[in-house]
Amino acid sequence: MTRPRVFGACLAAGVAAALCALPAQAQAAGQTVEDATFVWGLNGYAQVGIFGPWSYKDLTGNVTQLVGSVSGGSQAEYAVTPKPGTSMPVSSPQKTPNAVKFTAGTGTVDPATGAGSLSWTGSYTVNAYPPQFNAPNEIYEDPQLTVHADGSGSLSVEFRLGAGVDMGGNPTAPQDFGRLTLLTFDAGSVAGLSASGYRVTPDYQGVEVDFADGGAQTRACGTDGGATGWWGSWPAEFVKAVPASVRPHFYSTGCGGNQDYKPPLPFDVGYTASTAPSGTSQEVEVTVPEAPQQPGEFVWTVDGGNTLVDLGTATKAGDHYRATGSINPVRVTDTRLGAPAWSVSAQVSDFTAGATSFAGKNLGWTPAVTENTGGAVAGAAVASGFDRGPGLSAPATLGSAASGHASGSAKLGAELELKVPSSVGAGRYSATLTLTALS
């Protein structure tokens, strides 16, 4: 079955209005954010290790280290409950973990569900062993997070290993594994959702992984004998890609003890987003021209100033998707001597979303004069070019008044209809609707 789509349209103009029809898939559309943060402590194993907490180094881009009390630091921004709540080792007093913090993340978030896509730029390097072992560095770069409306999703990274030696003391060359899925999480994994962020607990328990080169996964752990029953694995795509010298850190090779520290710790996402209903409106910006210097005046402006314009959610309508709405009314006041003729017209550009676009001709309108003491006449209706003609991609009259019209004002409005071919991909699309007054 074809999924419903939503199309975002922001129409800005000379006297400019922003106008939005939102993208809709099976989840709600998001709002753009540019200040997202991502904070994560890897897993409990990285906090204790065999030789002590894993070392962090060579941080690049928009990433910093939060040093926890496990390494003598005092960070208080990122805290997790100890085992069995998470894989964080139990201590008394309870220690705080080491973590990495990415900032300046960009993308979209639906504040109502947490759904969206976010990405960060930067890298961090960790190593589980003291320098004398010359173990290869693990480099994690440019995280990309996808969250669905049901709270499921995934996190991927560019993953590399530096040069070093393997478990047998043999030299190993640097390796670049490209983008791998580092974490996955099931529906309902988003917790503590607010207008500024949420926490996610990744999958591990019960996740199976098999290897062609040995290293069988332990799957028989129970809660007897002190174990938590936490046999499992990080995503198989990641675990199977890394070499055998690194692999055991990320899946169960036994029961109890350090095995219980292998599940990934929760990660925190923060952002600034409007608490208004996601994807239903767009702020309008208005530029008002100076009034002509002559007896009386001719003034036109968007009535009401900065408000919200909404094309709603595009819905399936046979062989296309359809969205409707109305422009912010344009008020024209003409008290000039001689009452010269005037007109207000508009033209729309193509709609774009990144590298994807569709023609502006798909937007049509039906103008109307809702208040009129100045002898104004509404322009002719213009059909969406999906049906016929150029739509609003060609200049069209919103309203006009003939020479000798009554002195006064008129409020010009228009009902909009957007028809988009089914072949156009889902996304938040923007265009520019330019309004022009002639007199």
Side-chain angles (χ1 to χ4, degrees):
M1 183 178 76
T2 302
R3 289 185 177 181
R5 307 181 186 184
V6 188
F7 298 89
C10 291
L11 304 179
V15 160
L19 179 66
C20 283
L22 289 171
Q25 292 171 288
Q27 63 188 49
Q31 297 184 8
T32 300
V33 297
E34 298 179 345
D35 62 346
T37 59
F38 172 79
V39 182
W40 183 42
L42 281 74
N43 59 1
Y45 197 78
Q47 309 303 325
V48 60
I50 298 175
F51 303 96
W54 293 10
S55 61
Y56 290 75
K57 56 185 177 180
D58 301 333
L59 280 67
T60 68
N62 299 319
V63 59
T64 56
Q65 181 186 358
L66 304 179
V67 182
S69 57
V70 294
S71 294
S74 58
Q75 75 87 8
E77 181 174 349
Y78 176 75
V80 296
T81 57
K83 192 184 80 166
T86 72
S87 64
M88 182 69 188
V90 177
S91 58
S92 183
Q94 184 58 46
K95 294 181 179 180
T96 58
N98 293 323
V100 289
K101 179 177 182 179
F102 285 81
T103 57
T106 60
T108 59
V109 173
D110 177 8
T113 65
S117 298
L118 296 169
S119 61
W120 292 267
T121 301
S123 69
Y124 63 91
T125 298
V126 297
N127 201 303
Y129 300 94
Q132 61 267 29
F133 285 86
N134 198 24
N137 291 322
E138 301 170 29
I139 301 114
Y140 301 78
E141 186 172 13
D142 296 347
Q144 294 181 359
L145 174 67
T146 299
V147 180
H148 304 298
D150 65 357
S152 64
S154 63
L155 178 83
S156 68
V157 296
E158 296 286 342
F159 181 74
R160 292 177 286 124
L161 286 179
V165 296
D166 62 17
M167 298 294 288
N170 302 307
T172 58
Q175 299 179 73
D176 188 342
F177 296 89
R179 182 159 294 275
L180 298 176
T181 299
L182 183 64
L183 303 173
T184 61
F185 43 97
D186 294 331
S189 296
V190 173
L193 179 65
S194 70
S196 59
Y198 52 81
R199 169 166 283 192
V200 171
T201 299
D203 298 335
Y204 180 86
Q205 188 170 0
V207 176
E208 296 184 357
V209 61
D210 295 295
F211 308 104
D213 57 350
Q217 180 184 31
T218 299
R219 300 176 184 170
C221 297
T223 56
D224 56 333
T228 63
W230 278 357
W231 72 267
S233 176
W234 292 42
E237 174 185 324
F238 171 70
V239 179
K240 294 173 74 171
V242 300
S245 60
V246 174
R247 185 182 298 160
H249 299 158
F250 304 106
Y251 75 102
S252 52
T253 57
C255 298
N258 283 357
Q259 297 296 322
D260 293 339
Y261 303 150
K262 292 182 178 180
L265 289 171
F267 63 81
D268 293 335
V269 175
Y271 46 78
T272 302
S274 169
T275 56
S278 174
T280 60
S281 59
Q282 182 75 19
E283 186 177 352
V284 174
E285 296 181 357
V286 176
T287 301
V288 180
E290 295 183 2
Q293 301 299 311
Q294 63 182 84
E297 61 178 0
F298 176 77
V299 177
W300 64 295
T301 184
V302 175
D303 195 48
N306 286 337
T307 58
L308 296 177
V309 178
D310 185 7
L311 284 189
T313 298
T315 57
K316 184 69 173 174
D319 61 349
H320 65 278
Y321 290 89
R322 181 175 182 267
T324 61
S326 57
I327 69 169
N328 285 320
V330 176
R331 182 173 293 277
V332 180
T333 300
D334 191 1
T335 59
R336 294 173 295 174
L337 295 177
W342 60 261
S343 66
V344 176
S345 62
Q347 184 176 10
V348 71
S349 68
D350 288 345
F351 290 75
T352 61
T356 307
S357 65
F358 62 86
K361 75 171 188 176
N362 289 286
L363 183 68
W365 70 4
T366 302
V369 180
T370 57
E371 296 179 12
N372 193 5
T373 62
V377 177
V382 176
S384 166
F386 181 85
D387 298 322
R388 63 184 181 278
L392 289 180
S393 66
T397 299
L398 177 63
S400 63
S403 177
H405 62 79
S407 178
S409 66
K411 183 188 287 187
L412 312 178
E415 296 300 312
L416 297 163
E417 183 179 42
L418 180 65
K419 294 183 177 181
V420 183
S422 298
S423 59
V424 172
R428 187 180 183 88
Y429 290 83
S430 63
T432 298
L433 181 69
T434 301
L435 299 171
T436 304
L438 298 175
S439 177

